């Protein structure tokens, strides 16, 4: 799928990705609705990941209720080294010649939401021209936002 996706131009690639994402989003919303009150399910929202340390602590506490702060520090360091903290990855890779920009961090940045402003703006404009985005993804995003807020 991803090899085929890379062969398409931006507009057609977004169209194909919308169809795949539509099904994924529908499954996620259905699962969230079924499991939202289950105490044995870890509930994490996207906003929880704005602070890597806090989100890892939440995960660690769920998995091991007696986790020690020293273990958490090691967990945060490992997550940063793997590229899970995009702010950290961006700082390490600010310069193309940076020796701190490891292959893991570069991979994370290349596969994260576009961190280059012109690419992000171009993709946003292209999305507006795709009927499937307006029909399926935008309403799903709006619905998800209402669920989270209310």
């Amino acid at each position: 799928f991803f090899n085929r996706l890379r062969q398409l131009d931006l507009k057609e690639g977004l169209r194909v990705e919308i169809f795949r994402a539509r099904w994924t989003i529908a499954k996620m919303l259905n699962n969230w609705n079924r499991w939202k009150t289950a105490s044995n399910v870890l509930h994490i929202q996207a906003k929880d990941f704005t602070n890597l340390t806090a989100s890892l602590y939440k995960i660690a506490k769920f998995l091991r209720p007696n986790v020690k702060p020293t273990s958490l520090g090691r967990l945060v360091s490992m997550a940063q080294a793997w590229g899970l903290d995009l702010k950290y990855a961006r700082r390490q890779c600010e310069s193309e010649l940076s020796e701190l920009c490891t292959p893991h961090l570069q991979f994370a940045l290349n596969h994260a939401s576009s961190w280059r402003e012109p690419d992000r703006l171009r993709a946003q404009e292209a999305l507006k021209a795709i009927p499937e985005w307006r029909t399926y993804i935008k309403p799903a995003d709006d619905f998800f936002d209402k669920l989270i807020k209310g």
Side-chain angles (χ1 to χ4, degrees), residues 32-95:
W32 179 81
N33 193 42
R34 287 185 323 162
W35 300 332
K36 64 185 171 190
T37 59
S39 63
N40 63 336
V41 175
L42 175 63
H43 299 280
I44 296 184
Q45 298 174 3
K47 68 179 182 175
D48 291 333
F49 286 96
T50 57
N51 181 333
L52 179 69
T53 303
S55 56
L56 287 176
Y57 186 72
K58 185 175 183 177
I59 294 167
K61 285 301 250 183
F62 178 79
L63 296 174
R64 290 183 94 186
N66 299 323
V67 69
K68 295 178 182 162
T70 54
S71 299
L72 182 62
R74 286 195 310 269
L75 185 62
V76 170
S77 295
M78 287 172 27
Q80 288 175 330
W82 292 337
L84 298 179
D85 182 347
L86 292 179
K87 289 178 186 175
Y88 174 84
R90 287 183 186 118
R91 279 196 311 273
Q92 300 302 333
C93 297
E94 284 176 336
S95 163

Side-chain angles (χ1 to χ4, degrees), residues 95-126:
S95 163
E96 300 233 356
L97 303 175
S98 175
E99 294 177 13
L100 301 174
C101 189
T102 65
H104 283 91
L105 297 181
Q106 191 61 50
F107 179 85
L109 291 173
N110 288 339
H111 292 83
S113 296
S114 180
W115 57 292
R116 292 177 187 86
E117 190 64 14
D119 293 340
R120 187 182 66 76
L121 293 174
R122 192 166 56 96
Q124 279 181 339
E125 287 304 311

